[in-house]
Amino acid sequence: MNIKIIGVGKLKEKYLAQGIAEYAKRLSKFVNFSIVEVPDEKAPEQLSAAEMQQVKAKEGERILAKIKDREYVFALAILGNERSSEELASEIDHLATYGHSDITFVIGGSLGLSNEVLKRADTQISFGKFTLPHQLMRLILAEQVYRAYMINAGSPYHK
């Protein structure tokens, strides 16, 4: 089983990298876990709607280049479906049981994901209506994936 997180931009904060490394180590008992970074598109603070779409499109091309046809893709999107930890665990277990051994989660940049990435996704997942830094989402997502494996293993971790 392979779980990959694709994130836009370089992770700069040491504490986030340390947290992700800890969950990656824990997950290594269950799956091949990896994080793939794609460069963010440099853009000024004030963008027109058309410029925003251009930035998302360029980042989207970089993301799509890292996704293989066989991968089952979860796009993180505010308008996606919220799931409980148990529901995510069940979904991952179901995917593994029915032949999806390559699961990819995609976290967009500060402007979100392009329509092309959203169309490629097999499903959209939301962590609520909060606006969270996309860098922090990598850590939160890594923890939730680990939690899913612990739930599926019947571990007391999930309490």
Side-chain angles (χ1 to χ4, degrees):
M1 183 85 181
N2 299 300
I3 301 262
K4 174 171 62 179
I5 296 174
I6 299 174
V8 173
K10 192 135 190 78
L11 189 61
K12 298 173 188 86
E13 293 84 358
K14 192 183 241 181
Y15 70 96
L16 292 176
Q18 289 170 333
I20 292 166
E22 176 61 28
Y23 287 111
K25 184 175 91 176
R26 293 179 186 190
L27 276 162
S28 69
K29 297 175 190 141
F30 303 101
V31 296
N32 294 319
F33 178 76
S34 62
I35 301 247
V36 175
E37 292 181 341
V38 298
D40 55 350
E41 188 64 21
K42 302 296 176 227
E45 284 294 317
Q46 299 297 318
L47 295 173
S48 69
E51 290 169 324
M52 287 174 130
Q53 291 304 322
Q54 284 180 315
V55 168
K56 290 197 295 187
K58 287 179 183 174
E59 291 175 348
E61 289 170 12
R62 294 174 189 145
I63 290 167
L64 292 170
K66 302 294 183 185
I67 299 172
K68 296 179 178 64
D69 288 343
R70 71 177 183 274
E71 294 174 21
Y72 188 92
V73 177
F74 286 84
L76 274 68
I78 287 176
L79 298 177
N81 294 321
E82 290 184 30
R83 292 157 172 86
S84 67
S85 296
E86 294 87 353
E87 288 168 337
L88 180 60
S90 176
E91 195 168 358
I92 289 172
D93 188 51
H94 180 83
L95 288 168
T97 301
Y98 292 97
H100 292 284
S101 58
D102 296 300
I103 298 174
T104 298
F105 293 87
V106 180
I107 302 169
S110 59
L111 299 176
L113 292 168
S114 70
N115 288 332
E116 291 75 22
V117 173
L118 294 173
K119 284 179 194 154
R120 168 57 183 90
D122 295 286
T123 189
Q124 294 180 29
I125 186 170
S126 173
F127 282 72
K129 294 183 181 183
F130 288 115
T131 300
L132 296 166
H134 58 280
Q135 306 288 9
L136 178 60
M137 276 311 301
R138 292 184 199 179
L139 176 59
I140 293 168
L141 180 57
E143 190 281 334
Q144 284 298 299
V145 170
Y146 175 69
R147 182 176 297 272
Y149 276 91
M150 297 308 288
I151 289 169
N152 290 336
S155 166
Y157 176 83
H158 177 64
K159 286 191 173 179

